[in-house]
Amino acid sequence: MARPQMLKLPEVLAEIGMSRAAFYRMRTRGKAPKLIKLPNGQLRVRRADLDAWWRDLEAAA
């Protein structure tokens, strides 16, 4: 079974066109895509979680 694609936070920010500060504000409100914290402290987002987040935004519009 293949591992899911994991995106680094700068990649996610570039894709959604958002600053880091705005993303963290959205995360605090519980509106950001699900983040995974690695043992070394870095954050990742699964491609599937980001795609699902986009779909939810489109459905709400």
Side-chain angles (χ1 to χ4, degrees):
M1 183 156 104
R3 283 190 340 204
Q5 182 183 7
M6 304 290 274
L7 302 170
K8 295 179 181 179
L9 189 55
E11 295 170 325
V12 172
L13 296 175
E15 183 171 330
I16 64 176
M18 186 176 286
S19 71
R20 185 179 294 262
F23 182 84
Y24 278 110
R25 284 192 302 270
M26 189 170 61
R27 182 178 178 214
T28 300
R29 293 190 313 264
K31 303 294 184 182
K34 183 180 175 188
L35 294 174
I36 298 167
K37 189 171 188 177
L38 300 178
N40 63 4
Q42 294 181 357
L43 297 173
R44 296 286 189 273
V45 177
R46 285 187 185 98
R47 166 51 67 187
D49 290 340
L50 184 59
D51 291 343
W53 179 78
W54 277 120
R55 280 191 303 277
D56 291 345
L57 287 178
E58 289 173 355

